[in-house]
Amino acid sequence: AYMLEKVTAVNQALDSALPLANPIGIHEAMRYSLLSGGKRICPIVCLAACRLVSSDESAAMPSACALEMIHAMSLMHDDLPCMDDDGLRRGRPSCHVVFGERAAVLAGYALLARAFEHIATATQGTAPPGRIVRVVGEIARLIGPEGVVGGQVADLKCGGGGVEQLEYIHLHKTAASVEASAVAGAVLGGACEEEIDRLRKYSRCTGLMFQVVDDILDLTKSSEELGKTSGKDKVADKMTYPKLIGIDKSRDYAHKLNKEAQEQLLGFNPEKAAPLIELANYIVHRQN
């Protein structure tokens, strides 16, 4: 019920944050990917982290929307032929299949720019300027060469390696995105540094767990069940957790990460922590 409520609220906020405008073509491509559904995990983590340390999460909604814009951009660019070359995303053709490669690249750039514009303008009046500036800096760092971009570079270059290399890639890709979400929400909610640090650790474990489960699902579910092309990692001989340690040990590792994530929430108000606890449980048990 919590997930459905927050997904609905985030979707409404995203629709308002990115209305159809001129030039129509680029806005259609942006909205196609941004509003195509999805689990909205990053926005929900952002809102839940804010609520965990404050009585109101409204200050975090612009950042929650911005994080989803950045996530949509990353998926659009990941799907490009020069990257992962995937024609299916969230159960329908990828952005570049519908609008062309050049439009998908430009729409991604536009979403990234709109994300930071939205944080800067829509958060005014709901949080102190210093918190807004810190959020912009944290998100920029975690999606840049020290985070998501760096992880993608390592992923593209990696033709082998072991678990440590794989963990580096995913801590700097999926986990960095979740970390940005948790830190943004915590900062906007007025968290102290110790609370922010604990939420960093929670989000890193949760983000890494998401990717471990993703690797398992890629082998065990169909394209129809996943809403994206299944079995691609195996065909591409890509380094994954099941390939390196097997499916059973991968499941064990996911549950270990879930336990470590939830340990970071001990000491917080149990009622306020419940959404983050259940979100971690949802991720480890998800089927798509």
Side-chain angles (χ1 to χ4, degrees):
Y2 177 90
M3 289 285 286
L4 290 173
E5 176 190 340
K6 297 306 175 187
V7 167
T8 299
V10 168
N11 286 341
Q12 290 173 347
L14 287 170
D15 188 36
S16 298
L18 188 65
L20 193 60
N22 288 319
I24 295 295
I26 198 69
H27 280 87
E28 286 179 338
M30 293 165 69
R31 285 174 58 86
Y32 178 85
S33 293
L34 182 64
L35 304 177
S36 64
K39 301 173 184 66
R40 307 303 193 208
I41 286 176
C42 285
I44 290 173
V45 167
C46 183
L47 295 173
C50 185
R51 182 73 177 88
L52 181 67
V53 297
S54 72
S55 58
D56 183 18
E57 65 185 28
S58 60
M61 183 58 86
S63 291
C65 290
L67 286 155
E68 190 62 29
M69 292 178 193
I70 293 167
H71 181 57
M73 174 276 296
S74 72
L75 297 182
M76 293 162 71
H77 286 183
D78 276 354
D79 289 340
L80 290 168
C82 64
M83 290 288 189
D84 291 343
D85 193 15
D86 204 325
L88 187 66
R89 175 66 65 178
R90 291 173 174 170
R92 62 180 186 170
S94 299
C95 184
H96 71 275
V97 174
V98 177
F99 296 92
E101 290 181 38
R102 290 181 293 185
V105 170
L106 291 172
Y109 291 156
L111 278 172
L112 183 61
R114 178 60 64 88
F116 287 106
E117 176 192 358
H118 193 61
I119 295 173
T121 58
T123 316
Q124 288 182 15
T126 63
R131 293 182 190 175
I132 300 172
V133 171
R134 180 171 179 181
V135 165
V136 169
E138 288 276 359
I139 293 176
R141 180 179 64 83
L142 286 164
I143 66 169
E146 296 179 32
V148 176
V149 173
Q152 179 70 354
V153 170
D155 194 10
L156 291 171
K157 291 174 65 176
C158 185
V163 173
E164 287 186 7
Q165 173 71 3
L166 185 60
E167 188 160 298
Y168 173 90
I169 290 169
H170 295 312
L171 281 174
H172 289 76
K173 286 183 67 177
T174 310
S177 296
V178 184
E179 180 183 345
S181 306
V183 171
V187 168
L188 290 166
C192 67
E193 291 303 319
E194 189 266 340
E195 291 171 329
I196 292 171
D197 186 57
R198 288 169 64 188
L199 282 164
R200 281 190 195 278
K201 294 175 182 176
Y202 164 87
S203 56
R204 286 173 184 164
C205 290
T206 305
L208 188 56
M209 175 174 63
F210 186 96
Q211 189 59 52
V212 175
V213 173
D214 217 49
D215 286 354
I216 295 169
L217 294 176
D218 185 69
L219 281 177
T220 59
K221 298 294 181 180
S222 67
S223 297
E224 289 74 22
E225 290 172 308
L226 295 179
K228 60 181 182 179
T229 308
S230 67
K232 284 198 67 179
D233 292 342
K234 185 176 181 180
V235 171
D237 196 29
K238 194 171 183 179
M239 189 168 60
T240 67
Y241 283 96
K243 179 182 178 181
L244 294 177
I245 63 176
I247 288 181
D248 289 340
K249 287 187 177 180
S250 295
R251 289 195 176 104
D252 291 342
Y253 185 42
H255 286 285
K256 177 177 179 289
L257 289 167
N258 186 24
K259 181 175 181 294
E260 291 175 1
Q262 295 193 33
E263 285 173 351
Q264 299 303 318
L265 300 174
L266 296 175
F268 285 106
N269 180 306
E271 184 178 347
K272 290 184 176 182
L276 289 170
I277 291 171
E278 293 307 321
L279 181 63
N281 288 330
Y282 162 75
I283 289 171
V284 80
H285 294 296
R286 68 192 177 94
Q287 298 298 310
N288 61 27

